[in-house]
Amino acid sequence: MTDFTFACTGVRADPYAAGPTLVFRLRITASADTRVHALALRCQIRIEPARRSYGTGEAAALHDLFGERARWGTTLQPLQFAQVSVMVPSFTGETETDIVVPCTYDMDIASGRYLSALEDGEAPLLMLFSGTAFTGAGGFHVEPVPWDREAPFRMPAEVWREMVEQHFPGCGWLRLPRDTMADLLAYRSRHALASWEATVRALLDAAVVAEPPPPDPAWAGAVLPRAAERTAP
């Protein structure tokens, strides 16, 4: 069997993609200058949070995922980031190709919440490979890519922030049920509001106006009699 090795040499945010997209640069090496006619490659990418340290602010942002620091010895488990397929064209010995990974800014997704919590440094990733290779000098024969092929990679947190800013500059993301979205849309239409930001701001302002005033300090500490009690004459 051909001995394949993989190494990730870099990553960038795709500025021309319709949605948030990362492009990983992958180097593939086949043993003994083997002729590879084609390679149908599958790549699973995992985040391995135990492979780096975290500041105080990052720990607070990651509390919902991993709990208190005292529990991190057991809770810092790998997170699924992506699973993609790529068809690598013919090469002999070694080649490089791009792995295009569509991403989400959904904060309900564990990987998105983790990457958004990083203030600096790098995100420790592990790329796991499998697939089918078509090799041979004359004709070709079919062989699997061994399941133990993998490549660690440390993705700069700045690349993730750059990708998010390209598509959601200065914004967050909120997912709501369809009936709630329908109610919000009806409210926006009734009040002729120009944007979702204006809609949420109007609701927040209305909630502030509806709040009861603070108690009068003159009687705030007094204990009022219950309705069933008699008061002194």
Side-chain angles (χ1 to χ4, degrees):
M1 288 181 60
T2 304
D3 184 18
F4 289 100
T5 59
F6 302 89
C8 186
T9 61
V11 63
R12 59 183 172 85
D14 188 346
Y16 306 109
T21 303
L22 292 174
V23 181
F24 293 86
R25 191 65 176 171
L26 183 68
R27 180 183 297 130
I28 307 170
T29 304
S31 61
D33 294 330
T34 301
R35 174 67 184 277
V36 179
H37 299 284
L39 180 60
L41 192 64
R42 293 185 296 273
C43 177
Q44 178 186 359
I45 306 177
R46 294 192 322 209
I47 300 172
E48 300 205 316
R51 293 182 177 266
R52 61 157 286 170
S53 59
Y54 302 91
T56 303
E58 292 172 332
L62 293 171
H63 182 272
D64 287 347
L65 285 178
F66 304 123
E68 301 289 342
R69 275 190 186 270
R71 300 177 53 213
W72 282 12
T74 56
T75 60
L76 289 185
Q77 299 298 319
L79 303 174
Q80 177 77 3
F81 177 52
Q83 187 161 338
V84 295
S85 298
V86 59
M87 181 62 72
V88 182
S90 175
F91 68 95
T92 300
E94 183 176 284
T95 189
E96 290 193 0
T97 189
D98 288 336
I99 295 183
V100 180
V101 179
C103 301
T104 177
Y105 191 37
D106 187 345
M107 297 301 288
D108 287 340
I109 304 298
S111 60
R113 187 179 303 184
Y114 172 86
L115 292 167
S116 298
L118 300 184
E119 298 173 353
D120 53 23
E122 299 167 327
L125 305 180
L126 183 63
M127 308 177 79
L128 309 169
F129 299 98
S130 61
T132 303
F134 302 87
T135 64
F140 69 88
H141 62 274
V142 180
E143 56 182 288
V145 175
W147 281 82
D148 61 351
R149 305 295 95 164
E150 60 185 41
F153 180 68
R154 301 188 73 85
M155 181 179 71
E158 180 60 32
V159 175
W160 174 266
R161 289 194 294 270
E162 175 189 346
M163 179 198 68
V164 171
E165 283 297 311
Q166 286 176 359
H167 296 274
F168 307 104
C171 297
W173 192 93
L174 182 64
R175 183 174 65 179
L176 296 172
R178 288 192 182 91
D179 55 349
T180 304
M181 283 296 300
D183 291 341
L184 278 175
L185 182 58
Y187 180 88
R188 176 178 173 176
S189 299
R190 286 197 305 271
H191 294 81
L193 297 168
S195 65
W196 288 115
E197 179 183 359
T199 303
V200 174
R201 177 55 57 189
L203 289 169
L204 290 174
D205 293 343
V208 171
V209 172
E211 289 180 355
D216 186 347
W219 55 268
V223 179
L224 300 180
R226 288 178 293 182
E229 289 181 343
R230 297 180 59 182
T231 57

